[in-house]
Amino acid sequence: MALRAALRSRSGFSSLLSHWSSCSHGTVRVSPVLVAQQRNNSSVPVVKVDFDQSTGVAVLHMQSPPVNSLSLDFLTEFCIAVEKLEMDKSCRGLILTSSQPRVFSAGLDIMEMYGKSPERCGVFWKAVQEMWLKLYSSNMVTIAAINGSSPAGGCLMSLTCDYRIMADNPRYSIGLNETQLGIVAPFWFKDTLANTVGHRHAEMALELGLLYNPSEALNIGMVDQLVPEDQVLTTAAQTMKKWLAIPDHARQITKSMMRKPTIEKLVSKREADIQNFVTFITKDSIQKSLRMYIEMLKKRKG
Amino acid sequence: MALRAALRSRSGFSSLLSHWSSCSHGTVRVSPVLVAQQRNNSSVPVVKVDFDQSTGVAVLHMQSPPVNSLSLDFLTEFCIAVEKLEMDKSCRGLILTSSQPRVFSAGLDIMEMYGKSPERCGVFWKAVQEMWLKLYSSNMVTIAAINGSSPAGGCLMSLTCDYRIMADNPRYSIGLNETQLGIVAPFWFKDTLANTVGHRHAEMALELGLLYNPSEALNIGMVDQLVPEDQVLTTAAQTMKKWLAIPDHARQITKSMMRKPTIEKLVSKREADIQNFVTFITKDSIQKSLRMYIEMLKKRKG
Amino acid sequence: MALRAALRSRSGFSSLLSHWSSCSHGTVRVSPVLVAQQRNNSSVPVVKVDFDQSTGVAVLHMQSPPVNSLSLDFLTEFCIAVEKLEMDKSCRGLILTSSQPRVFSAGLDIMEMYGKSPERCGVFWKAVQEMWLKLYSSNMVTIAAINGSSPAGGCLMSLTCDYRIMADNPRYSIGLNETQLGIVAPFWFKDTLANTVGHRHAEMALELGLLYNPSEALNIGMVDQLVPEDQVLTTAAQTMKKWLAIPDHARQITKSMMRKPTIEKLVSKREADIQNFVTFITKDSIQKSLRMYIEMLKKRKG
């Protein structure tokens, strides 16, 4: 049930390499699934929160260059920011968006999985779970303003929201594409997707690791609305008003009723899910695969 | 999980008032969710059943002015009528429709929840459950001929049927709009909706308390077919013939197989569901909200 | 929950007869649900497997005249063939198709249910379960190249696959039409269908025993793609390439994660499901109905 990789798989690698190669000209596309992000040594926070007291709506901008990859630092800071807003009774709505060009979030940071102790890997995975738990069970209205590509963990983040608005740019893509790299989305990724697009679309999307362009994502219900890129954030704000017209208490109880079984499933299996991840990711074969992948990324940058 | 209100919520009230206000001109629209219905002091039955022995089909006309709201009296009479047809082996199909103009049923009667003893509230809620149980588990083919608006409890009633035909009149609407008034649809309303339109549409419909016009309802699968208003009943009769061409025994076992888990869930939690409702509805804050709501309705009539 | 018949039902018979009658001119249509197949006395195998070592893809042609009905012999041979491919590590993909004109598979063989001992009926039903278990849990990529009608058990077979490509010929149909003959699809047929088309479409499809033409099947998601008849197999081969580009290990774990609960349900109830079938099918009334049905088929051939 946990994240498992077969990065050693030839076909996985070759398809990945061809993907990079086909993307090397023209618009930069973000790496699917895993990104070896440049270390953020500056003191600039990775998230910026604009909270408007008059509307009760906070906009959380992810601003971790280059592609908002989900490192332990990022997740920790992100969760603290969300938790603060959650505790603030005057904050009723949260819009998630990106300050980085062309990408919402590129997903989990591969550097958190390579050369780390089992303890550290467990801490990282717990942080990924925490992000999901915080967002999926939020009492706030949550809207994803998806202004760029959103593979893997980035897609998961948007799937936790109450509503998804995506930039209508055919160069962007969204999806849980883990299998394309020989990895498996864990059961709670799967549950979140199936709750959104139904069992059959979830099955095909996950088995093939499909990345959908915005129109395709709209067609299967992975996102709710497409708008021109420069209107993503304003549309999110307008949509938020409609959601906030509903009495909070009734909306919150209803949201909880819909999502409780899915949340309780991870809560009850949380430790086992972490153990599965750690056991898998610390295997020699997987570490070797990760090293090869990281080296490939470095060469590409060079 | 039970019905809960936040009628005290300002936004709930203001949106409701604006709704009434926007509807005060042009076609009369029925109150969403709850209706303080004029007491029916006449001896005219609230339901009229036309049973055609030659076809084995009964048409149940709801005729409780003005909007077929679901009072305890109505529910009791309705359930007795359905039970009689259920016991009659010669009755194989049931068409539900309304004799009232522009409304199928406006849902639960607010007067059953205001100023009543806990015992009485419990009796009322048990009757609501009974209506759902009888319809959702009926051995008859059940078709909703939705010839008017059908909010809240009226929508639930139609969702229990095997097939839904709605009048293609854009002024009509259908949906479980409880949250718009600060109330929450209980879990078995939610299950019935999710079984019909899937998890994602159910989540958004319930959180926002969406009322859909007929085209929208068709698009998400909340109704199965739209026809001109004067053809709703004849189309229902024609459709019934197709359903009755299937051997009863096989169809009934199949229907039971599809619905059993959902029915068993309420049956096993029935008492707790009643207790939840009673505890909530008899709170001082809720009673106060209901009084304000009823006074608003009276002023509007005056 | 098990297969149950109401073949004694008048309406079942008359609708069946009218079905046959309406199909007696023009293109031959295969019998829905059950077929009294000519005994295959030749030594020609009922399945032919073409395995291409260079691609890792096997094509299994069903070639049991006239309509690939699922007899015990057929099922046994079919399961052995699938099992062999499953065990062969070099075989990664399986395409199921038919060598018979105008039919993929007509479903369960009625002769296996008539005049047989309870023991034999149990053995037959176990073989039907075995086919489903083998296909639904296969580690191979499975694609149904549906080049003809595919009612009942034939539809089930295609529903177990990862992807369904159907010939775009409006004379062909597909669906779980058991109730049209007064029979009930067992719970695992239902689960497989609901996993594919969702709860509501499954409910209506099963209650009415609907047979869909290719366009309708595509619309509700019962099949994934329509192509001209002469391109079904080539399209299946092209599609297989895309699926095989995904690392096997990750795809297999993902597939298992999606299907495990459905598979475990039958595994845990397998004996009870067999008992239900045997008890039902050996009833005098059912055997009488089957005899009448078989005689009708014979007259039609004569």
Side-chain angles (χ1 to χ4, degrees):
Chain A
M1 286 298 184
L3 193 79
R4 286 159 208 255
L7 285 169
R8 61 201 164 244
S9 155
R10 272 197 159 185
S11 58
F13 252 113
S14 56
S15 79
L16 178 68
L17 288 163
S18 71
H19 179 79
W20 277 109
S21 142
S22 71
C23 294
S24 59
H25 303 291
T27 307
V28 173
R29 286 183 69 161
V30 298
S31 157
V33 185
L34 300 170
V35 176
Q37 180 149 341
Q38 294 169 303
R39 295 298 89 192
N40 182 1
N41 294 318
S42 73
S43 60
V44 178
V46 296
V47 299
K48 179 166 76 80
V49 175
D50 292 330
F51 177 41
D52 183 341
Q53 284 277 1
S54 71
T55 59
V57 178
V59 181
L60 188 155
H61 304 265
M62 297 184 279
Q63 52 179 18
S64 181
V67 291
N68 294 326
S69 74
L70 307 176
S71 65
L72 179 55
D73 283 351
F74 182 96
L75 290 167
T76 305
E77 209 173 303
F78 181 90
C79 284
I80 289 171
V82 172
E83 179 72 10
K84 272 187 193 166
L85 297 170
E86 194 77 46
M87 303 297 284
D88 183 346
K89 294 293 172 197
S90 66
C91 182
R92 302 173 60 216
L94 170 62
I95 294 170
L96 295 181
T97 196
S98 166
S99 296
Q100 302 312 116
R102 296 181 298 278
V103 62
F104 181 72
S105 162
L108 305 185
D109 188 340
I110 195 175
M111 296 311 291
E112 298 292 0
M113 310 180 196
Y114 177 65
K116 297 285 190 292
S117 70
E119 290 68 30
R120 165 76 187 211
C121 287
V123 170
F124 172 65
W125 196 244
K126 194 167 188 175
V128 180
Q129 294 175 333
E130 193 63 28
M131 175 200 74
W132 180 84
L133 286 168
K134 281 220 165 3
L135 290 175
Y136 205 56
S137 69
S138 175
N139 270 325
M140 298 180 282
V141 173
T142 52
I143 295 181
I146 310 168
N147 52 351
S149 283
S150 195
C155 176
L156 179 75
M157 186 183 273
S158 70
L159 287 174
T160 63
C161 291
D162 292 308
Y163 198 77
R164 282 162 288 287
I165 299 160
M166 189 169 187
D168 194 6
N169 183 335
R171 284 173 174 161
Y172 296 160
S173 62
I174 185 169
L176 294 176
N177 58 324
E178 280 80 355
T179 56
Q180 283 202 18
L181 284 197
I183 321 178
V184 174
F187 71 88
W188 37 290
F189 284 50
K190 180 264 289 177
D191 290 343
T192 315
L193 181 60
N195 285 350
T196 308
V197 302
H199 187 280
R200 172 56 183 158
H201 280 302
E203 182 177 78
M204 194 147 62
L206 290 171
E207 286 197 38
L208 290 171
L210 294 176
L211 285 173
Y212 299 87
N213 66 37
S215 298
E216 294 165 341
L218 183 68
N219 276 344
I220 69 160
M222 188 176 270
V223 301
D224 297 302
Q225 193 178 350
L226 303 183
V227 297
E229 190 152 359
D230 59 357
Q231 296 171 26
V232 171
L233 212 47
T234 52
T235 306
Q238 286 159 10
T239 304
M240 183 60 84
K241 282 185 195 167
K242 291 183 197 166
W243 283 76
L244 294 182
I246 303 298
D248 284 341
H249 187 60
R251 185 189 47 71
Q252 288 160 359
I253 295 172
T254 302
K255 184 174 179 175
S256 167
M257 179 171 66
M258 295 302 303
R259 300 186 169 193
K260 207 176 178 182
T262 307
I263 290 166
E264 286 180 345
K265 203 163 137 194
L266 177 58
V267 169
S268 72
K269 299 181 180 179
R270 196 166 178 181
E271 276 310 313
D273 185 58
I274 293 173
Q275 273 314 310
N276 277 343
F277 172 74
V278 171
T279 304
F280 164 72
I281 209 71
T282 55
K283 281 182 185 166
D284 284 352
S285 58
I286 303 301
Q287 287 294 309
K288 187 180 165 190
S289 299
L290 292 176
R291 192 179 66 237
M292 289 169 66
Y293 181 52
I294 291 165
E295 280 167 6
M296 183 198 68
L297 291 179
K298 282 182 185 164
K299 276 181 196 157
R300 199 173 158 269
K301 286 182 185 169
Chain B
M1 288 297 182
L3 193 79
R4 285 158 209 257
L7 285 170
R8 63 206 163 239
S9 155
R10 272 197 157 183
S11 58
F13 251 114
S14 57
S15 77
L16 177 68
L17 288 164
S18 71
H19 179 79
W20 278 109
S21 143
S22 70
C23 295
S24 59
H25 303 291
T27 307
V28 173
R29 286 183 68 162
V30 298
S31 157
V33 186
L34 300 169
V35 176
Q37 179 150 340
Q38 293 169 304
R39 296 298 88 190
N40 183 1
N41 294 317
S42 72
S43 59
V44 178
V46 296
V47 299
K48 179 166 77 80
V49 175
D50 292 330
F51 177 41
D52 184 340
Q53 284 276 1
S54 71
T55 59
V57 179
V59 181
L60 187 156
H61 303 264
M62 297 183 279
Q63 52 178 16
S64 180
V67 291
N68 294 326
S69 73
L70 308 176
S71 64
L72 180 54
D73 283 352
F74 182 95
L75 290 167
T76 305
E77 209 173 304
F78 180 90
C79 284
I80 289 171
V82 172
E83 178 73 11
K84 272 187 192 166
L85 297 170
E86 194 76 45
M87 303 298 284
D88 183 346
K89 295 293 174 197
S90 66
C91 182
R92 301 172 61 215
L94 170 63
I95 294 171
L96 295 182
T97 196
S98 166
S99 297
Q100 303 311 116
R102 295 181 298 281
V103 63
F104 180 74
S105 163
L108 306 185
D109 188 340
I110 194 174
M111 297 310 292
E112 299 292 358
M113 310 180 195
Y114 178 65
K116 297 286 191 293
S117 69
E119 290 69 29
R120 166 76 188 210
C121 288
V123 170
F124 172 64
W125 196 244
K126 194 167 188 174
V128 180
Q129 293 175 334
E130 192 64 27
M131 174 199 75
W132 180 83
L133 287 169
K134 282 216 166 2
L135 289 175
Y136 204 56
S137 68
S138 174
N139 270 325
M140 298 179 282
V141 174
T142 52
I143 294 180
I146 310 169
N147 52 352
S149 283
S150 195
C155 176
L156 178 75
M157 186 183 272
S158 70
L159 287 174
T160 62
C161 291
D162 292 307
Y163 198 77
R164 283 162 288 286
I165 298 160
M166 189 169 187
D168 194 6
N169 183 335
R171 284 174 174 161
Y172 296 161
S173 62
I174 185 168
L176 294 176
N177 58 324
E178 280 80 355
T179 56
Q180 282 202 19
L181 285 196
I183 321 178
V184 174
F187 72 88
W188 38 291
F189 283 51
K190 180 264 288 176
D191 290 342
T192 316
L193 182 59
N195 284 350
T196 308
V197 302
H199 187 279
R200 171 57 183 157
H201 279 302
E203 181 177 78
M204 193 147 63
L206 289 172
E207 286 197 38
L208 290 171
L210 294 176
L211 285 173
Y212 299 86
N213 66 37
S215 297
E216 294 164 341
L218 183 68
N219 277 343
I220 68 160
M222 187 175 272
V223 300
D224 298 301
Q225 192 178 351
L226 303 183
V227 297
E229 191 152 359
D230 59 356
Q231 295 170 27
V232 171
L233 212 47
T234 52
T235 306
Q238 286 158 11
T239 304
M240 183 60 84
K241 281 183 194 168
K242 291 183 199 168
W243 283 76
L244 294 183
I246 303 299
D248 285 341
H249 187 60
R251 185 190 47 71
Q252 289 160 359
I253 294 171
T254 302
K255 183 173 179 176
S256 167
M257 179 171 66
M258 295 302 303
R259 300 187 169 192
K260 205 175 178 184
T262 308
I263 290 166
E264 285 179 346
K265 203 165 139 195
L266 177 58
V267 169
S268 71
K269 298 181 180 179
R270 196 166 178 182
E271 276 311 311
D273 185 58
I274 293 172
Q275 274 315 309
N276 278 343
F277 172 75
V278 171
T279 303
F280 165 73
I281 209 72
T282 55
K283 280 182 185 166
D284 284 352
S285 58
I286 302 301
Q287 286 293 307
K288 187 180 166 190
S289 298
L290 293 176
R291 191 179 67 238
M292 289 169 66
Y293 181 55
I294 292 165
E295 280 167 7
M296 184 200 67
L297 291 179
K298 282 183 187 164
K299 276 181 196 158
R300 198 171 160 273
K301 287 182 187 169
Chain C
M1 287 299 182
L3 192 78
R4 286 160 210 259
L7 286 169
R8 61 203 163 240
S9 155
R10 272 197 157 183
S11 58
F13 250 113
S14 56
S15 80
L16 177 68
L17 288 164
S18 71
H19 180 78
W20 277 109
S21 142
S22 72
C23 294
S24 58
H25 303 292
T27 306
V28 173
R29 286 182 67 161
V30 298
S31 157
V33 186
L34 300 170
V35 175
Q37 180 150 340
Q38 294 169 304
R39 295 298 88 189
N40 183 0
N41 294 319
S42 73
S43 59
V44 177
V46 296
V47 300
K48 180 167 75 81
V49 175
D50 292 331
F51 177 41
D52 183 341
Q53 284 276 2
S54 70
T55 60
V57 178
V59 181
L60 187 156
H61 304 265
M62 298 183 280
Q63 52 179 16
S64 180
V67 291
N68 293 327
S69 73
L70 308 177
S71 64
L72 180 55
D73 283 351
F74 182 95
L75 290 167
T76 305
E77 209 173 308
F78 180 90
C79 284
I80 289 171
V82 172
E83 178 74 8
K84 272 187 194 167
L85 297 169
E86 195 77 45
M87 303 297 284
D88 182 347
K89 294 294 174 195
S90 66
C91 183
R92 301 172 61 215
L94 170 63
I95 295 171
L96 295 181
T97 195
S98 166
S99 296
Q100 303 312 115
R102 295 183 299 280
V103 62
F104 180 74
S105 162
L108 306 185
D109 188 340
I110 194 174
M111 298 310 291
E112 299 291 359
M113 310 180 196
Y114 177 65
K116 297 285 190 294
S117 69
E119 290 68 31
R120 165 78 188 209
C121 287
V123 170
F124 172 64
W125 196 244
K126 193 167 187 175
V128 179
Q129 294 175 334
E130 193 64 27
M131 174 200 74
W132 181 83
L133 287 168
K134 282 220 166 1
L135 289 174
Y136 204 56
S137 68
S138 174
N139 270 326
M140 297 179 283
V141 173
T142 51
I143 294 181
I146 311 169
N147 52 350
S149 283
S150 195
C155 176
L156 178 75
M157 187 183 273
S158 70
L159 288 173
T160 63
C161 291
D162 292 307
Y163 198 77
R164 282 162 287 287
I165 298 160
M166 189 170 186
D168 194 8
N169 183 335
R171 284 174 174 159
Y172 297 160
S173 62
I174 184 169
L176 293 176
N177 58 324
E178 281 79 354
T179 56
Q180 283 201 20
L181 284 198
I183 321 178
V184 173
F187 72 88
W188 39 290
F189 283 49
K190 181 264 290 175
D191 290 342
T192 315
L193 181 60
N195 285 350
T196 309
V197 302
H199 187 279
R200 171 57 183 157
H201 279 302
E203 182 177 79
M204 194 147 64
L206 290 172
E207 287 198 37
L208 290 171
L210 293 176
L211 285 173
Y212 299 87
N213 66 38
S215 298
E216 295 164 340
L218 183 68
N219 277 342
I220 68 162
M222 188 176 271
V223 300
D224 298 302
Q225 192 178 350
L226 302 183
V227 297
E229 191 153 358
D230 59 356
Q231 296 170 25
V232 170
L233 212 47
T234 51
T235 307
Q238 286 158 11
T239 304
M240 183 61 83
K241 282 184 194 167
K242 292 183 197 166
W243 283 76
L244 294 183
I246 304 298
D248 285 341
H249 187 60
R251 186 190 48 70
Q252 288 160 358
I253 295 172
T254 302
K255 183 173 179 175
S256 167
M257 179 171 67
M258 296 302 302
R259 300 187 169 192
K260 206 174 177 185
T262 308
I263 290 165
E264 286 180 345
K265 203 164 138 194
L266 177 57
V267 169
S268 71
K269 298 181 180 179
R270 195 166 178 181
E271 275 310 312
D273 185 57
I274 293 172
Q275 274 314 309
N276 278 342
F277 172 74
V278 171
T279 304
F280 164 73
I281 209 71
T282 55
K283 280 182 186 167
D284 284 352
S285 58
I286 301 301
Q287 286 294 308
K288 187 179 165 190
S289 298
L290 292 176
R291 192 179 65 238
M292 288 169 66
Y293 181 53
I294 292 165
E295 281 167 5
M296 184 198 68
L297 291 179
K298 282 183 187 164
K299 275 181 197 158
R300 199 173 159 271
K301 286 183 187 169

